[in-house]
């Protein structure tokens, strides 16, 4: 069980400590990557997105439109850069569009 602090600490600090102690960072990164994709791509792309999954340093995105997949593949490096900026850390190194 987590240790108790006798002084008051901010909620964000308490949550980050909880995440670190319980080794939940990988799961949080997966959720954050999925949210970053949805925020950056907007409704047009999200309507054709069937799944977004982060494994290791690779973001796998399944799309139902082959035309959209081809269009997005032209800007992979820009998408990776935008997602990493949204996440605030260098989390995604490779993007795979399926």
């Amino acid at each position: 069980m987590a240790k108790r602090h006798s002084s008051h600490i901010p909620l964000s600090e308490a949550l980050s400590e909880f995440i670190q102690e319980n080794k939940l960072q990988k799961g949080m990164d997966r959720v954050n990557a999925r949210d970053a994709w949805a925020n950056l791509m907007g409704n047009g792309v999200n309507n054709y997105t069937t799944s977004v999954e982060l494994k290791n340093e690779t973001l796998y995105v399944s799309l139902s439109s082959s035309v959209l997949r081809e269009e997005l593949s032209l800007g992979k490096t820009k998408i990776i850069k935008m997602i990493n900026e949204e996440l605030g850390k260098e989390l995604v190194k490779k993007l795979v569009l399926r």
Side-chain angles (χ1 to χ4, degrees):
M1 194 77 180
K3 60 185 173 195
R4 285 201 158 189
H5 296 285
S6 59
S7 63
H8 298 287
I9 61 170
L11 183 58
S12 61
E13 188 177 316
L15 285 174
S16 63
E17 186 177 309
F18 177 79
I19 289 169
Q20 185 179 20
E21 285 181 10
N22 292 303
K23 298 178 177 85
L24 300 174
Q25 192 59 49
K26 280 188 179 184
M28 292 300 294
D29 288 342
R30 285 189 204 133
V31 172
N32 291 340
R34 194 175 306 132
D35 291 343
W37 175 267
N39 290 340
L40 290 172
M41 293 300 136
N43 287 337
V45 175
N46 287 329
N47 288 337
Y48 296 102
T49 302
T50 56
S51 72
V52 179
E53 193 172 339
L54 180 68
K55 289 183 183 175
N56 298 325
E57 295 178 333
T58 306
L59 187 66
Y60 295 94
V61 180
S62 297
L63 299 166
S64 60
S65 169
S66 60
V67 175
L68 180 62
R69 184 181 320 115
E70 192 63 33
E71 194 71 29
L72 291 177
S73 69
L74 298 174
K76 279 186 181 181
T77 54
K78 184 177 179 183
I79 293 171
I80 292 170
K81 183 180 176 187
M82 288 170 37
I83 288 175
N84 285 330
E85 285 176 6
E86 179 83 14
L87 295 172
K89 57 183 171 181
E90 193 75 18
L91 191 63
V92 178
K93 301 264 193 248
K94 187 177 176 186
L95 177 65
V96 176
L97 301 170
R98 318 183 211 178

